[in-house]
Amino acid sequence: MSNAHVGSRIVGWGSNLPEKVLTNNDLADGGLDTSDEWIYERTGIRQRHVGGSTGEMSIHAGQQALDVAGVTGADIDLVIVATSTPDQLMPGTSATVHAELGIGGGACDMQAVCSGFSYALVAANGLIATGLERVLVIGADSLSPYVDWDDRSSAILFGDGAGAAVLERHTERTLLSFDLGADGTSRHIGYTDHDGKITMDGKEVFRTAVRAVTKSAQNAIDSAGLTIDDIDWFVPHQANVRIIEAIAQRIGLPMEKAIVTIQNTANNSAATIPIALDTAVRDARVQRGDTLLLGGFGFGMTWASAVMKWDPRD
Ligand code: UT7
């Protein structure tokens, strides 16, 4: 394969949220010792969608992305489902998606918790450089079954959802740079055991996330040979709007350039970045030629940043 084909670009996008909505008031009315004011002020969240299975949501988001790309499942060489909440321990949820969308090529899951979509996007770009034509990348999580709904320090934060992107071989690179990292020694600050609930040290996750994403985003911008002024849109993981604000402030990015969807979705882990991207493309904030900074973190702790040119097909 010649070097003329080493690049890739996103040609399809989509997202899916379960119909059932739980507002902050629903949580307070249901007996949780909290309030809409506290949650909104401390997190930016107003509501979360709950009740979808990872497979179902992935299929809907994936189908939308295929439709936008104008391709069918048969045209896809690989589907990667980034998730930490697969429908079964085995097989991967990608097997369900493979069957339901009629994927022509392979299927695998990827587990990097909330950083999963960005890790998968970078991996897909690399696989395209080594010969694949088209990869469907899905970030999907159904966190609601793992939420301790009596624990006000975590119950308010999470929801369910899926987002997807079709990455296709292109003559130019649109993934200009990336920075993937992890600190496994911090894996105790957020985890879920088999048959357990989400357990975390919220303050420590907050501090670690701000530190890690700030450094990672800066690394990605530097290795793209750009400065913060070249970034048109920051598409961050949606865990807490205060985390997004703290990162934006540290990297010198005005908050008007951050895509914030957390008010509607809360944190649905690997789904937040592709949902934010899908939202901002559909409402026409993101335009052809824009430079995007994707950035997020997850339990592990993992983190991932990527700088991309937005260059879909005509
Ligand atoms: O993808 C990774 C997933 N996890 C995260 O991203 C978590 C990151 N961390 C956070 O988002 C924040 O640390 C939280 C939202 C979890 C907590 O916010 P905080 O500003 O760090 O609050 P805090 O833990 O310092 O608690 C302040 C007060 C405490 O009361 P006292 O001790 O001051 O009397 C808490 O008991 O707020 C109380 N509190 C609440 N009050 C009303 C904690 N949760 C709630 C609540 N409603 N839901």
Side-chain angles (χ1 to χ4, degrees), residues 78-103:
L78 175 69
V79 57
I80 307 177
V81 177
T83 186
S84 41
T85 53
D87 292 344
Q88 295 171 286
L89 193 55
M90 61 182 92
T93 302
S94 53
T96 312
V97 176
H98 186 276
E100 294 299 319
L101 295 184
I103 301 295

Side-chain angles (χ1 to χ4, degrees), residues 49-299:
H49 292 247
V50 297
S53 78
T54 300
E56 267 173 280
M57 297 185 296
S58 295
I59 291 161
H60 292 307
Q63 184 64 59
Q64 266 183 28
L66 295 178
D67 292 346
V68 171
V71 299
T72 69
D75 302 314
I76 298 293
D77 296 324
L78 175 69
V79 57
I80 307 177
V81 177
T83 186
S84 41
T85 53
D87 292 344
Q88 295 171 286
L89 193 55
M90 61 182 92
T93 302
S94 53
T96 312
V97 176
H98 186 276
E100 294 299 319
L101 295 184
I103 301 295
C108 67
D109 283 16
M110 176 171 286
Q111 222 286 37
V113 200
C114 305
S115 308
F117 179 81
S118 308
Y119 265 76
L121 197 68
V122 171
N125 176 71
L127 287 164
I128 286 172
T130 56
L132 299 189
E133 175 76 25
R134 215 171 275 115
V135 181
L136 174 60
V137 182
I138 299 174
D141 271 298
S142 178
L143 296 178
S144 57
Y146 303 98
V147 169
D148 176 354
W149 292 104
D150 296 325
D151 173 10
R152 69 176 183 171
S153 68
S154 65
I156 58 165
L157 293 175
F158 300 108
D160 305 339
V166 175
L167 202 66
E168 186 177 82
R169 191 187 294 175
H170 187 45
T171 48
E172 283 161 43
R173 294 164 59 106
T174 62
L175 181 63
L176 305 181
S177 67
F178 61 85
D179 180 81
L180 305 180
D183 172 15
T185 64
S186 295
R187 67 193 185 281
H188 60 280
I189 65 176
Y191 61 89
T192 306
D193 286 324
H194 286 294
D195 301 322
K197 299 290 180 191
I198 297 170
T199 307
M200 64 171 190
D201 177 343
K203 274 196 179 308
E204 197 49 36
V205 172
F206 193 117
R207 273 194 290 265
T208 308
V210 171
R211 212 182 309 127
V213 180
T214 299
K215 190 155 184 280
S216 173
Q218 200 55 65
N219 286 345
I221 293 168
D222 290 348
S223 49
L226 301 177
T227 71
I228 192 66
D229 296 336
D230 298 313
I231 302 298
D232 296 299
W233 295 106
F234 179 33
V235 188
H237 173 46
Q238 315 277 320
N240 186 324
V241 77
R242 286 162 49 222
I243 295 179
I244 299 172
E245 287 165 354
I247 294 164
Q249 195 235 326
R250 283 166 175 73
I251 62 176
L253 180 116
M255 265 307 276
E256 302 79 64
K257 289 185 172 185
I259 307 294
V260 178
T261 49
I262 194 171
Q263 64 280 5
N264 297 321
T265 62
N267 176 356
N268 42 33
S269 194
T272 68
I273 288 180
I275 289 175
L277 182 62
D278 180 57
T279 304
V281 171
R282 283 177 197 274
D283 69 20
R285 268 178 289 177
V286 169
Q287 295 285 331
R288 177 186 307 283
D290 282 353
T291 303
L292 313 181
L293 168 67
L294 276 51
F297 62 95
F299 289 166

Side-chain angles (χ1 to χ4, degrees), residues 13-46:
W13 46 89
S15 64
N16 183 257
L17 294 164
E19 259 171 46
K20 186 174 177 195
V21 169
L22 267 184
T23 65
N24 293 344
N25 285 327
D26 290 335
L27 296 182
D29 294 346
L32 196 66
D33 183 14
T34 190
S35 65
D36 180 50
E37 293 71 31
W38 193 96
I39 300 172
Y40 187 66
E41 211 169 275
R42 296 292 183 114
T43 70
I45 297 166
R46 285 280 190 209

